[in-house]
Amino acid sequence: MDLQTAVDNYGRAMTHCDNIIAIHRGHGGGGPGRRIREVSLDRAVIVLAVAAWQAAVQDLTAAILDECQPKNATQADIARYKVTVGAVRNAIEKFATPNGDNVRNLMVGAGFDPWPHWTYSISAGRGRPHTNWTRHMVNMRLNEWLKVRHHIAHGHETLPEVQALEAVRLDKISNPSVRLADAEQCVSFMDRLVKLTAQAVADHLGTTVVTPRGA
């Protein structure tokens, strides 16, 4: 696994989220009213986006290990390296819950800490000041999306009251549903997080990577 392949794999996976969002927009129309069937599309986007994030973390960690394998080394040196990183490769295969702590623990095992790089600034719009997202804020939002994904995948009747959902954040609704805006924001969040992480990994390895997705 090389770093560019890891990023490209993520991009291909997220294309399905883009397609579902496009289908929702094309099917929904512009009239008022709640559309029950389209909610299923929004839910599917969140499940797929979190799955793509999980796979990206696994691929990026594998890319670090592969890039750091000794070059022009003897077979014995390569064998010793593979034994050294064997536990990390096993952890990659078993990786299942891509929350902030688990992601950090996995990648630190490969010699890279992603957390210092999970910061960014975004415009609040309409002349308002930029919002500076700290690592702690990013970690909280990531974990919120995972909670939403968990409730969706397990067929829970209600969703968690988390700030990631527009109905909770803006409308203070106690029994939220998933909206198209939520699906789009989940995709945007994962895009940004993969881009930040991949570019930081590239700097760590002394190489470059093209990350077309994300702000």
Side-chain angles (χ1 to χ4, degrees):
M1 177 67 65
D2 64 78
L3 182 57
Q4 190 62 58
T5 299
V7 172
D8 293 344
N9 286 346
Y10 171 79
R12 282 189 290 271
M14 292 297 281
T15 297
H16 297 291
C17 294
D18 298 337
N19 292 341
I20 293 173
I21 289 172
I23 289 170
H24 183 164
R25 288 192 171 279
H27 182 265
R34 184 180 180 188
R35 297 176 174 83
I36 302 300
R37 292 179 178 176
E38 282 86 338
V39 171
S40 297
L41 299 177
D42 303 330
R43 285 172 165 243
V45 168
I46 292 174
V47 172
L48 290 174
V50 173
W53 160 246
Q54 176 180 321
V57 171
Q58 292 171 290
D59 285 351
L60 290 171
T61 307
I64 294 172
L65 297 182
D66 290 345
E67 181 63 27
C68 291
Q69 180 171 303
K71 306 297 190 297
N72 302 318
T74 65
Q75 290 298 318
D77 289 336
I78 295 175
R80 281 191 289 270
Y81 175 77
K82 290 182 178 180
V83 170
T84 301
V85 302
V88 182
R89 291 199 185 276
N90 287 336
I92 292 172
E93 292 296 324
K94 297 177 181 179
F95 188 64
T97 305
N99 61 36
D101 288 330
N102 290 345
V103 169
R104 182 175 186 269
N105 289 338
L106 179 68
M107 301 194 84
V108 164
F112 171 76
D113 185 353
W115 276 8
H117 311 284
W118 288 1
T119 62
Y120 56 88
S121 178
I122 57 175
S123 173
R126 297 183 180 180
R128 290 177 290 179
H130 282 63
T131 300
N132 295 315
W133 281 69
T134 65
R135 190 277 302 169
H136 177 69
M137 293 166 63
V138 171
N139 199 28
M140 286 186 61
R141 183 54 52 88
L142 173 60
N143 293 346
E144 288 176 354
W145 283 125
L146 261 68
K147 287 181 181 178
V148 174
R149 186 280 303 264
H150 177 85
H151 279 64
I152 292 172
H154 287 263
H156 290 184
E157 185 175 354
T158 60
L159 296 180
E161 295 178 31
V162 294
Q163 291 296 303
L165 296 177
E166 186 180 74
V168 175
R169 187 176 64 255
L170 300 182
D171 301 330
K172 314 302 180 184
I173 294 175
S174 59
N175 184 21
S177 182
V178 178
R179 302 172 178 176
L180 176 58
D182 297 319
E184 292 174 326
Q185 288 171 15
C186 182
V187 168
S188 178
F189 179 83
M190 298 305 171
D191 282 350
R192 188 183 299 274
L193 199 50
V194 168
K195 182 174 183 177
L196 289 171
T197 306
Q199 289 184 334
V201 169
D203 293 341
H204 174 73
L205 297 175
T207 186
T208 59
V209 66
V210 178
T211 54
R213 295 187 66 94

